[in-house]
């Protein structure tokens, strides 16, 4: 018995050792290159791959494909090759690999299924096929929801939002995607990065106040995280926002904070130095600019010597620019020639060359040179600046100056074209993607409804069955493409017409409607309404409460002006255009709505809301007339605001 017991113990030990050895061997022998690559993708390392690493993985995984013994691994291998191609920028090749991978999806490897669909979704955005992008977005989101995998969802929403903003005109849906990702993440540093991305999307949509608020919150979090790099990035964005809004005191304060933690190498901070000098000039005049230069010389005494030639150009150019603004044209000319000489010796960027060209052209314009076609030259310069990559953001602040000059020259058409590009949000996909937004925000309810709906069960599971039958699968695919995608395409086409929140017209749609219905014999009234102290309301009660106020006011406007063209403009402004009405009727309705807003128990529930209105009137003969009447209404609105609250001016 003792001998038998000893042998049982030995056998048990051998079994345990065998299991451990098998586990190690499985990790070393059976863990393939494609497995390793996918593990890194799932852990979020895809952004850190070098070109050499990707090339090595591509070679090794192709070898793995060549020696493949089981078809069950084709899904992961085709996915890995497709993802590598996408990271290398070969999107068509990537899509071909991924479609092959998708044909092997069985639901057994759901994380890989989700990665296939999400990469296809972003690929199609890059390839300018938005319909398929949304189609695979929905497929990926379905799988991710089933997995209940928050990190996967966060990564997917972030990447898809980036794809929409970089490659399409669909700039509203990313707000919902990034907001959802921010709610899902528990990593504070990742949350800051997402908030920064959300602020950039707000900016693209013209929601400047929301962008600044999001950046400020993100900056406070980055300070608590002691992340210096993130702090600098966020302060850089805030400086540009404040400067663009002419809030020079706030810009100066943020610049001081920026320089307190930034590197001592001026070459890394020339864009911020440029903003610093601009602020000193606008706050303190030319003397303030010279004092700013003196402070910079004290801050960078040693580095200035090392980068002497570039610093000399920087100082000469800025002196030429500000002396020109002061009207000291001869002195400006001398410094401009110095900057041009240094530029010719230095290998400078296109941004620098175009800034010098702008000052040279402005100087010629101010001194009334007679041998230059200024309209043509400013048009050419504007076109070059618009297409010049500008990481510093300087062009964003310079281009409006050129537009103002073209306006003086009477080139209304160019000004209209570029103003719409620079200021107006791009065409929106709002109607087409509302269902997708609801799918994300109400996914629990959606899944319950899906499970209880016979037709949805048939579609969901019938698709898997039909996929096994080649002929029926093709029929199903054709049906889905021709019906679902055709419907989505129509929605996308029509989506740019309404504001997602208030369901009023976008400004672009307003212009299009007025242009299409233009009647030069009829009299038009343009009403520009502004909600007083709305920024403070948002700060006190939150942006959701502010959104509710906007929605309720839009409903009231539609009731009072049922035949008007109503557009939401610049966040908390509304433009109302009335055609062929009597003046006393306009005044009566404006008086009524100002009082109704103030007395409304829903609009003024938290605090009394008042508005001011500016009114202009006249006949519309062309698009420029529309601009002029809106500008005139803006002037009248400012007069109303100076007179008090709840005031209109005609």
């Amino acid at each position: 018995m003792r001998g038998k017991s000893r042998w049982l113990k030995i056998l048990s030990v051998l079994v345990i050792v065998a299991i451990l050895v098998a586990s190690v061997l499985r990790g070393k022998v059976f863990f393939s290159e494609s497995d390793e690559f996918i593990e890194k993708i799932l852990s979020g390392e895809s952004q850190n791959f070098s070109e050499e690493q990707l090339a090595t993985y591509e070679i090794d995984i192709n070898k793995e494909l060549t020696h493949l013994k089981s078809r069950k691994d084709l899904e992961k291998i085709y996915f890995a090759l497709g993802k590598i191609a996408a990271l290398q920028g070969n999107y068509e090749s990537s899509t071909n690999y991924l479609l092959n991978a998708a044909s092997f999806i069985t639901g057994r490897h759901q994380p890989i299924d989700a990665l296939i669909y999400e990469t296809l979704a972003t690929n199609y955005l890059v390839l300018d096929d938005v319909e398929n992008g949304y189609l695979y977005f929905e497929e990926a989101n379905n799988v991710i929801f089933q997995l209940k995998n928050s990190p996967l969802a966060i990564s997917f929403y972030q990447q898809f939002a980036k794809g929409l903003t970089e490659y399409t005109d669909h700039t509203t849906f990313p707000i919902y995607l990034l907001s959802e990702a921010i709610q899902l993440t528990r990593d504070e540093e990742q949350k800051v990065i997402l908030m920064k991305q959300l602020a950039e999307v707000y900016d693209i949509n013209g929601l400047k106040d929301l962008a600044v608020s999001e950046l400020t919150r993100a900056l406070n979090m980055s300070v608590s995280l002691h992340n210096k790099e993130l702090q600098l990035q966020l302060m850089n964005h805030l400086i540009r926002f404040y400067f663009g809004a002419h809030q020079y005191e706030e810009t100066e304060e943020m610049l001081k904070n920026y320089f307190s933690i930034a590197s001592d190498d001026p070459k890394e901070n020339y864009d911020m130095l440029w903003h610093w000098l601009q602020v000193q000039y606008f706050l303190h005049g030319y003397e303030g600019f010279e004092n700013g230069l003196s402070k910079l010389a004290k801050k960078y005494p040693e580095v200035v010597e090392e980068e002497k030639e570039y610093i000399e150009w920087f100082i000469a150019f800025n002196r030429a620019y500000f002396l020109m603004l002061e009207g000291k044209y001869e002195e400006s000319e001398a410094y401009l020639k110095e900057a041009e000489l240094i530029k010719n010796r230095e290998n400078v960027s296109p941004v620098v060359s175009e800034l010098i060209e702008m000052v040279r052209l402005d100087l010629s314009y101010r001194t009334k040179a007679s041998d230059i076609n200024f309209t043509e030259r400013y048009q050419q310069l504007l076109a070059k600046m618009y297409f010049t990559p500008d990481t510093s953001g300087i062009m964003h602040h310079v281009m409006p100056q050129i537009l103002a000059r073209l306006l003086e020259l009477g080139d209304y058409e160019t000004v209209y074209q570029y103003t719409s590009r620079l200021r107006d949000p791009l065409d929106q996909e709002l109607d087409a993607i509302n269902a997708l937004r609801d799918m994300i925000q109400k996914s629990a309810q959606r899944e319950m409804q899906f499970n209880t709906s016979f037709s949805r069960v048939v579609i969901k599971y019938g698709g898997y069955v039909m996929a096994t039958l080649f002929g029926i699968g093709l029929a199903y695919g054709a049906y889905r493409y021709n019906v679902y995608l055709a419907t989505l395409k129509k929605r996308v086409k029509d989506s740019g017409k309404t504001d997602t929140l208030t369901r009023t017209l976008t400004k672009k749609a307003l212009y299009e409607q007025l242009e299409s219905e233009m009647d030069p014999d009829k009299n038009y009234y343009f009403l520009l309404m502004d909600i007083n102290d709305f920024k403070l309301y948002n700060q006190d009660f939150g942006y959701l409460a502010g959104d509710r106020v906007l929605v309720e006011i839009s409903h009231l406007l539609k009731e009072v002006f049922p035949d008007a063209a109503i557009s939401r403009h610049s966040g908390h402004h509304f433009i109302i255009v009335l055609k062929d009405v009597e003046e006393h009727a306009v005044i009566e309705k404006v008086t009524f709505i100002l009082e109704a807003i103030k007395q409304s128990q829903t609009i003024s529930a938290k605090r009394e809301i008042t508005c001011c209105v500016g009114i202009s009137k006249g006949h519309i003969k062309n698009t420029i007339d529309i601009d002029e009447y809106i500008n005139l209404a803006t002037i009248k609105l400012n007069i109303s605001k100076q007179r008090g609250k709840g005031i209109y001016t005609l």
Side-chain angles (χ1 to χ4, degrees):
M1 288 292 292
R2 286 183 182 177
K4 188 180 290 186
S5 175
R6 186 170 66 247
W7 280 109
L8 283 172
K9 288 179 180 178
I10 293 171
L11 184 61
S12 299
V13 170
L14 288 173
V15 168
I16 293 170
V17 170
I19 291 171
L20 291 173
V21 170
S23 176
V24 172
L25 286 175
R26 177 175 291 276
K28 293 197 174 190
V29 177
F30 299 107
F31 196 73
S32 64
E33 291 295 325
S34 59
D35 290 324
E36 180 184 304
F37 177 79
I38 291 169
E39 283 297 318
K40 289 186 176 180
I41 295 293
L42 286 168
S43 63
E45 295 183 39
S46 60
Q47 301 302 317
N48 301 322
F49 287 132
S50 66
E51 291 182 10
E52 292 76 17
Q53 284 177 305
L54 290 173
T56 301
Y57 272 123
E58 185 179 16
I59 292 167
D60 292 342
I61 295 171
N62 268 309
K63 288 179 182 176
E64 189 180 332
L65 178 62
T66 305
H67 299 95
L68 190 68
K69 294 182 179 179
S70 172
R71 286 175 59 82
K72 68 181 182 180
D73 292 329
L74 278 172
E75 179 187 354
K76 69 175 184 180
I77 291 176
Y78 279 136
F79 161 70
L81 291 171
K83 188 67 177 180
I84 290 169
L87 293 171
Q88 292 172 331
N90 302 323
Y91 296 103
E92 289 187 5
S93 174
S94 169
T95 301
N96 290 332
Y97 277 125
L98 293 167
L99 290 172
N100 280 332
S103 68
F104 290 97
I105 288 177
T106 61
R108 290 180 302 175
H109 308 295
Q110 285 188 312
I112 299 177
D113 300 349
L115 291 173
I116 291 169
Y117 289 139
E118 76 164 63
T119 312
L120 275 169
T122 51
N123 276 7
Y124 277 118
L125 295 181
V126 179
L127 295 171
D128 198 25
D129 186 347
V130 180
E131 293 92 340
N132 267 321
Y134 282 127
L135 171 65
Y136 283 105
F137 169 87
E138 186 175 359
E139 296 287 356
N141 200 69
N142 284 338
V143 177
I144 290 170
F145 176 78
Q146 292 168 18
L147 287 169
K148 303 190 185 311
N149 187 321
S150 293
L152 202 57
I154 293 163
S155 172
F156 175 41
Y157 295 161
Q158 183 179 18
Q159 291 304 312
F160 196 71
K162 183 180 179 183
L164 286 170
T165 52
E166 287 187 3
Y167 300 107
T168 78
D169 290 345
H170 296 207
T171 57
T172 300
F173 192 34
I175 294 174
Y176 300 105
L177 290 173
L178 293 169
S179 299
E180 185 72 9
I182 290 168
Q183 292 297 319
L184 288 172
T185 186
R186 296 293 175 264
D187 184 319
E188 293 295 302
E189 191 167 299
Q190 186 181 33
K191 185 169 287 192
V192 170
I193 293 169
L194 288 165
M195 290 166 73
K196 174 175 168 285
Q197 188 176 347
L198 178 58
E200 291 167 356
V201 175
Y202 279 141
D203 184 30
I204 290 170
N205 284 279
L207 304 171
K208 306 292 183 184
D209 289 348
L210 288 176
V212 170
S213 174
E214 201 69 27
L215 285 171
T216 303
R217 289 174 52 221
L219 178 59
N220 292 335
M221 289 179 65
S222 68
V223 170
S224 65
L225 291 170
H226 306 291
N227 189 319
K228 181 177 170 182
E229 183 180 348
L230 269 179
Q231 288 176 52
L232 288 172
Q233 291 175 16
L234 293 163
M235 283 192 279
N236 189 308
H237 281 279
L238 280 167
I239 286 163
R240 294 177 190 178
F241 274 119
Y242 288 139
F243 185 83
H246 308 295
Q247 296 175 257
Y248 299 125
E249 290 86 356
E250 290 87 346
T251 309
E252 185 179 39
E253 186 62 33
M254 191 60 65
L255 280 163
K256 288 177 182 176
N257 294 333
Y258 180 92
F259 288 128
S260 69
I261 63 172
S263 136
D264 286 334
D265 184 354
K267 202 164 186 177
E268 295 180 9
N269 300 304
Y270 277 127
D271 55 331
M272 291 296 104
L273 297 178
W274 183 82
H275 282 92
W276 168 263
L277 294 175
Q278 290 265 322
V279 166
Q280 298 311 303
Y281 176 79
F282 289 125
L283 286 177
H284 312 295
Y286 188 78
E287 184 179 347
F289 160 69
E290 287 290 353
N291 288 336
L293 282 180
S294 300
K295 289 178 182 178
L296 294 180
K298 290 176 183 177
K299 180 174 177 61
Y300 303 117
E302 297 176 3
V303 187
V304 165
E305 191 62 34
E306 296 171 9
E307 302 288 344
K308 187 174 181 181
E309 197 165 62
Y310 201 96
I311 289 288
E312 284 176 354
W313 173 85
F314 183 79
I315 293 171
F317 169 77
N318 279 283
R319 281 202 169 115
Y321 178 71
F322 290 115
L323 284 166
M324 180 187 68
L325 295 183
E326 290 286 297
K328 299 177 180 178
Y329 301 136
E330 289 185 6
E331 294 176 63
S332 173
E333 173 74 27
Y335 280 112
L336 188 58
K337 285 181 178 177
E338 183 181 334
E340 287 172 332
L341 285 172
I342 297 170
K343 183 203 80 169
N344 292 333
R345 296 198 302 266
E346 278 279 297
N347 182 23
V348 299
S349 69
V351 173
V352 168
S353 296
E354 284 154 25
L355 287 173
I356 288 178
E357 185 180 345
M358 185 199 73
V359 176
R360 169 59 67 194
L361 194 55
D362 265 358
L363 197 55
S364 300
Y365 180 82
R366 289 166 184 260
T367 54
K368 297 180 170 56
S370 59
D371 59 339
I372 299 175
N373 183 334
F374 286 105
T375 300
E376 184 179 316
R377 287 283 301 280
Y378 276 116
Q379 287 174 347
Q380 293 169 353
L381 180 59
L382 190 64
K384 282 200 292 185
M385 285 187 167
Y386 188 79
F387 291 107
T388 297
D390 175 29
T391 55
S392 67
I394 291 174
M395 293 298 197
H396 179 74
H397 302 298
V398 170
M399 288 173 71
Q401 299 175 31
I402 301 176
L403 290 170
R405 187 71 71 222
L406 284 168
L407 196 60
E408 289 177 24
L409 292 164
D411 185 9
Y412 299 111
E413 184 177 350
T414 301
V415 172
Y416 173 70
Q417 290 173 355
Y418 277 89
T419 301
S420 63
R421 292 188 210 177
L422 291 172
R423 296 180 185 175
D424 291 345
L426 298 172
D427 292 347
Q428 301 301 304
E429 73 286 4
L430 312 177
D431 291 336
I433 61 177
N434 274 341
L436 297 176
R437 180 196 64 186
D438 293 339
M439 175 183 65
I440 295 169
Q441 294 180 333
K442 301 175 182 178
S443 37
Q445 179 183 355
R446 178 183 183 280
E447 185 69 10
M448 179 187 70
Q449 292 171 348
F450 194 96
N451 289 334
T452 57
S453 167
F454 176 78
S455 61
R456 289 193 176 199
V457 170
V458 170
I459 291 171
K460 184 176 181 181
Y461 295 104
Y464 298 146
V465 174
M466 287 187 286
T468 62
L469 306 171
F470 186 71
I472 301 176
L474 283 178
Y476 173 71
Y479 169 79
R480 183 163 185 141
Y481 182 82
N482 289 316
V483 178
Y484 175 80
L485 295 185
T487 303
L488 184 58
K489 186 173 184 179
K490 183 179 182 302
R491 289 178 180 174
V492 172
K493 184 178 179 181
D494 296 338
S495 63
K497 296 179 181 178
T498 55
D499 172 64
T500 182
L501 180 67
T502 62
R503 316 308 293 174
T504 57
L505 296 171
T506 62
K507 190 178 177 186
K508 180 178 179 181
L510 174 69
Y511 272 78
E512 290 175 350
Q513 181 172 321
L514 293 176
E515 288 167 355
S516 66
E517 301 173 358
M518 195 179 298
D519 188 343
D521 297 325
K522 301 293 185 183
N523 205 29
Y524 288 80
Y525 283 84
F526 285 78
L527 285 58
L528 183 60
M529 175 186 284
D530 172 59
I531 304 172
N532 296 316
D533 303 322
F534 194 63
K535 183 177 179 180
L536 292 175
Y537 187 93
N538 280 330
Q539 290 175 355
D540 291 343
F541 302 110
Y543 287 101
L544 289 178
D547 285 350
R548 282 193 289 272
V549 168
L550 291 170
V551 170
E552 292 298 330
I553 289 178
S554 70
H555 288 164
L556 187 57
L557 288 173
K558 291 171 189 175
E559 290 176 11
V560 177
F561 302 106
D563 301 321
I566 303 172
S567 167
R568 182 184 174 197
H569 173 58
S570 298
H572 58 280
H573 292 75
F574 289 94
I575 299 174
I576 305 102
V577 183
L578 303 166
K579 176 182 175 183
D580 197 26
V581 291
E582 297 294 331
E583 186 171 303
H584 68 85
V586 175
I587 293 173
E588 183 180 319
K589 288 190 173 186
V590 169
T591 305
F592 170 80
I593 202 160
L594 289 175
E595 187 63 26
I597 289 171
K598 189 165 60 174
Q599 299 297 332
S600 171
Q601 293 183 355
T602 52
I603 297 173
S604 297
K606 296 181 180 294
R607 177 192 296 169
E608 183 179 86
I609 296 293
T610 61
C611 297
C612 284
V613 179
I615 309 171
S616 64
K617 64 177 180 177
H619 298 278
I620 300 176
K621 298 177 183 178
N622 52 51
T623 301
I624 301 304
D625 288 339
I626 300 172
D627 279 325
E628 289 181 355
Y629 289 128
I630 291 176
N631 289 337
L632 183 56
T634 304
I635 294 170
K636 298 291 183 67
L637 172 63
N638 290 332
I639 294 171
S640 297
K641 292 169 76 172
Q642 290 171 10
R643 292 169 57 202
K645 296 180 179 179
I647 303 293
Y648 73 87
T649 301
L650 175 59

